[in-house]
Amino acid sequence: TGGIITLDSGYKNTGSCESAITFLDGEKGILRYRGYSIEELAEKADFLEVAFLLIFGELPTQAQRDKFHADIKAQSVVDEDIKKILDAFPKSGHPMGVLSSLTSALTAFNPSSVNVNSEEDMYRAIVKIMGKFPVLVAWTHRKKQGLPLDYGDKNLGYVENVLKMMFRQPNEEYTQSRVLVDALDKLLILHADHEQNCSTSTVRITGSSHAGLFASLSAGISALWGPLHGGANQAVLEMLEAIKADGGDTKKYMAKAKDKDDPFRLMGFGHRVYKNFDPRARIIKKAADEVLEDLGVEDPILDIAKGLEKEALQDPYFVDRKLYPNVDFYSGIIYRAMGIPTDMFTVMFALGRLPGWIAQWREMRLGKEPIGRPRQLYVGATQRSFVEIDKR
Ligand code: SDX
């Protein structure tokens, strides 16, 4: 429209949409899903309830929860031909790349999921991906481990079934897996949505062109992969392992993080919105202690993480920049205690964020939002005439 264009790289001060799903207060460290505090939901709800809440706006009645789960189970079969795509990947392929590809490939086997012109069409696409995504997550893991693929068990709960397909639990050692189920359920709740973060903005803008839900989610998975975003949970463990291998010398890594000439950052620290403790980090830190104790796991990495946190919270560089531990700082310690490989940590983040991405995509489509198309400030060459190649 030829109006004034303000440059805001990284969209640090740009509101991209109106949303009724998640509320953040970065100064106070507040996070609420549809008005319910993350602390209450992590304590009292389960992941399927929270998924329903985020997507449809209300906590489900028992009947609504049962129907949602039944509809999801009915859609948890993945076309056998997906395995041909899975088999084409080298074992060295990063699981996030595999998952993003398989998620997009689902469109080929479910073409009706693209043209969603009614809430019924949307609901069908939503229960399809809620049913098939955990299978893709588990198959990605088992393929990398060279293990036979597992089809899950319809008699299990949503999160129990993820663990069974990944680790063939909880059929074995039920008590141990009760701890794992509760820990994973809580972690998935804590990752379920976070307003207009990088990957959610990617899902919304991809979906705004009316690309299908699965294609929009595949784009979100790719955005989440980056080490500055969801990939940070893997980078945190690699950093803590490096510090452990370096004799626990946290001071050396703190110095690197503060050195402007060193690209190294303290992974798991800092946040675009939270200028206080990330409320999820508080809950996960407490859960890490509980899970390791319940599993009888002694992990020196947890002590290194706590030492690093203590130092950073007293260091002027971090205090002045309001850099606190974020959701990714402690989550990997729990995943590791559960036997999940480091390069699968971000896949677990994607599994948690799935209902949030779905909710945000649904809100954008129901709101009939226009296609996302930002402008720019042009700083390139002024007009010039073409020069034949023999005169350049
Ligand atoms: C997630 O957006 C979301 O909600 C994301 C998320 C979600 O649920 O979807 O919460 C999940 O992605 C959590 C963040 C995971 N990423 C990391 O842990 C990677 C390490 N952290 C950063 O790279 C950084 O803090 C970001 C990316 C999280 C935020 O970056 P910003 O807001 O663009 O801030 P910035 O890069 O401009 O940093 C401001 C200052 C800079 O110093 P100065 O130039 O002012 O001197 O703080 C410094 C930065 O150098 N800084 C860090 C640091 N993070 C910021 N210095 C050392 N270590 C760090 N981790």
Side-chain angles (χ1 to χ4, degrees), residues 314-383:
Q314 290 160 3
D315 184 300
Y317 173 95
F318 291 88
V319 173
D320 295 351
R321 290 169 179 79
K322 300 186 175 180
L323 302 177
Y324 291 88
N326 59 46
V327 67
D328 293 309
F329 190 62
Y330 285 104
S331 56
I333 287 161
I334 299 180
Y335 291 139
R336 198 164 107 117
M338 298 175 70
I340 294 173
T342 307
D343 65 4
M344 280 290 292
F345 289 178
T346 313
V347 167
M348 302 313 287
F349 192 144
L351 183 63
R353 186 52 54 90
L354 179 66
W357 284 334
I358 291 170
Q360 300 270 352
W361 168 84
R362 181 174 178 272
E363 181 179 70
M364 177 276 300
R365 286 301 301 270
L366 288 179
K368 299 195 181 339
E369 286 185 17
I371 185 169
R373 201 269 183 231
R375 295 302 308 276
Q376 63 175 19
L377 289 188
Y378 179 69
V379 293
T382 50
Q383 187 173 2

Side-chain angles (χ1 to χ4, degrees), residues 12 24 190-191 193-200 224 227-230 232-233 236 257-258 260 264-275 278 280 317-318 321 323 326-328 349 353:
K12 295 192 175 189
L24 296 190
L190 293 167
H191 285 83
D193 194 53
H194 215 238
E195 60 136 273
Q196 304 313 315
N197 59 85
C198 177
S199 55
T200 299
L224 187 71
L228 294 186
H229 190 13
N233 59 15
V236 167
K258 296 187 282 188
K260 282 298 159 218
F264 174 79
R265 287 193 155 191
L266 207 56
M267 300 315 275
F269 263 77
H271 199 277
R272 172 63 58 75
V273 176
Y274 289 127
K275 299 307 170 193
D278 180 334
R280 302 166 296 177
Y317 173 95
F318 291 88
R321 290 169 179 79
L323 302 177
N326 59 46
V327 67
D328 293 309
F349 192 144
R353 186 52 54 90

